[in-house]
Amino acid sequence: FGPLASVSKEITIFDKYLVRRLFETGDEHVTWMLKNLDQVAPEGAGVVLIAARGTEGQYGQETVPSDAREAERLLREYLPDTWGRLGSVQVVFAESTRARHMHHDRHIRFSAGAAIEVPAGFDRLDQPRLRDSFGFTYRWSPAALAELESREQEVKRARGTHIVRLKAGSRPS
């Protein structure tokens, strides 16, 4: 994704399970993705992560807290304190009842005019070589990009959505 990220002022990552492993074990591909985007994105670029809170793990236990303030506190604890090139990082937490209706396929949309849609989690991208094969779809037509952006906006506008803003170069407040 480096070439697309290097020419995009905004990158949006949409995956309702995006931060689940971060809250389960503290080991997360989100941190890996942000560090890599921080290295290649243009100075001042923004990243928007769209995920869900109140999601359940394998055995039905809640892995991302339903309580918005607790989810935010844990997020700030786990994510890096500063960013180099990134101008902002924003996390949009969908409320758990809304999250059940979030589209299953994940995507990364780049303001450069393209997106990558994947049916499985982004954790498969945390190594230089893919661990398993999974299909991905490259989207570039205005209609396809508008559909992905519509999914994002639906979550952002939904009742109960909680937004966490992390600014570059400073300790989150």
Side-chain angles (χ1 to χ4, degrees):
F1 303 138
L4 288 169
S6 70
V7 293
S8 294
K9 291 299 281 176
E10 185 169 305
I11 301 155
T12 302
I13 303 171
F14 182 97
D15 179 353
K16 71 179 175 180
Y17 301 112
L18 189 63
V19 296
R20 189 166 82 184
R21 248 182 35 199
L22 177 67
F23 289 102
E24 288 174 338
T25 66
D27 172 38
E28 182 54 46
H29 56 285
V30 170
T31 305
W32 174 86
M33 290 174 74
L34 287 172
K35 286 179 181 176
N36 281 282
L37 289 172
D38 191 51
Q39 291 175 359
V40 299
E43 190 73 35
V47 176
V48 178
L49 308 173
I50 301 176
R53 56 187 167 84
T55 59
E56 294 181 353
Q58 184 177 359
Y59 301 106
Q61 79 281 16
E62 186 176 85
T63 56
V64 179
S66 295
D67 180 72
R69 296 204 190 283
E70 178 64 6
E72 179 175 347
R73 184 190 69 74
L74 288 170
L75 180 73
R76 291 181 185 281
E77 182 179 315
Y78 287 122
L79 288 181
D81 297 335
T82 58
W83 311 101
R85 301 170 64 86
L86 296 178
S88 67
V89 175
Q90 183 181 97
V91 183
V92 177
F93 278 119
E95 194 268 330
S96 59
T97 56
R98 171 67 201 122
R100 288 188 202 112
H101 303 289
M102 281 178 73
H103 200 275
H104 178 269
D105 285 355
R106 292 95 158 146
H107 69 261
I108 302 178
R109 188 175 54 81
F110 301 90
S111 64
I116 307 291
E117 191 172 26
V118 297
F122 289 112
D123 57 333
R124 287 157 178 80
L125 304 175
D126 65 357
Q127 302 293 321
R129 302 184 103 191
L130 292 178
R131 292 182 283 191
D132 55 10
S133 62
F134 68 97
F136 66 89
T137 306
Y138 181 71
R139 304 278 187 200
W140 71 93
S141 75
L145 295 173
E147 178 187 336
L148 297 178
E149 188 171 5
S150 174
R151 291 179 197 167
E152 298 161 13
Q153 292 303 320
E154 183 181 343
V155 172
K156 288 179 179 180
R157 289 190 304 261
R159 189 169 44 131
T161 293
H162 183 74
I163 298 175
V164 179
R165 289 179 173 81
L166 306 172
K167 293 291 183 183
S170 64
R171 177 85 180 146
S173 57

